[in-house]
Amino acid sequence: MTTAAMFNRQREQLRRDAILSATPAQLVTMLYDRLLLDLGRAETAQEGANWAVASENLLHAQAIIAELSASLNTTAWDGADNLLGIYNYVSSALVSANLHRNADRTREAIRLLQPLQQAWREAAAQLPAGTPMMASGGSLGIA
């Protein structure tokens, strides 16, 4: 095994360990971080007319949005339905961005999601380490 392959294997194991040991709040912030990373990569690829890379990143971003939507407990707090509406809108925007090769729709999704990313980071930072999930879907309204 080459040094690069060994390094990649160790890096992947560290990433898995971080995910498995993360609190629910940390998992949500990780999802948002990856979501915005994917969208930034997609936007760059769209601007360079690299449609295969753009599509790959947009599809991954759509999968993250689907996961965030599916794990959202809409009975946990009053704003959950509004957040679900944003997720649904962004999902449609990402499909459009991919189908029509429209970087403006990707940028729109980024503008909508960046404040949410920051809000989740701030919320996660305010929770004590290891805050357990509540039976009704979690302290952050996620399953």
Side-chain angles (χ1 to χ4, degrees):
M1 180 180 296
T2 67
T3 303
M6 204 164 25
F7 173 76
N8 287 335
R9 178 182 270 176
Q10 289 173 340
R11 184 178 60 180
E12 183 61 24
Q13 182 62 46
L14 288 172
R15 186 187 66 78
R16 275 193 302 270
D17 291 347
I19 291 169
L20 292 174
S21 64
T23 66
Q26 290 168 330
L27 287 173
V28 172
T29 58
M30 286 178 189
L31 284 171
Y32 268 96
D33 290 347
R34 180 55 195 257
L35 175 58
L36 272 295
L37 177 66
D38 287 343
L39 292 176
R41 288 175 175 170
E43 179 186 21
T44 299
Q46 286 171 315
E47 290 170 350
N50 188 341
W51 306 118
V53 170
S55 181
E56 178 183 338
N57 283 280
L58 288 168
L59 289 172
H60 193 256
Q62 289 172 45
I64 293 171
I65 289 290
E67 181 62 32
L68 289 168
S69 296
S71 64
L72 182 63
N73 180 347
T74 56
T75 63
W77 57 288
D78 292 341
D81 285 330
N82 293 333
L83 182 57
L84 185 58
I86 292 170
Y87 289 159
N88 289 336
Y89 181 83
V90 167
S91 181
S92 294
L94 297 180
V95 169
S96 177
N98 203 3
L99 288 175
H100 302 291
R101 297 179 171 179
N102 187 338
D104 288 336
R105 296 302 306 266
T106 303
R107 283 189 283 279
E108 177 184 25
I110 291 169
R111 282 191 305 273
L112 287 169
L113 293 169
Q114 281 178 328
L116 293 173
Q117 177 190 35
Q118 186 58 37
W120 280 111
R121 281 184 182 163
E122 290 171 11
Q126 291 178 9
L127 291 174
T131 298
M133 295 292 286
M134 296 184 327
S136 65
S139 58
L140 294 176
I142 57 171

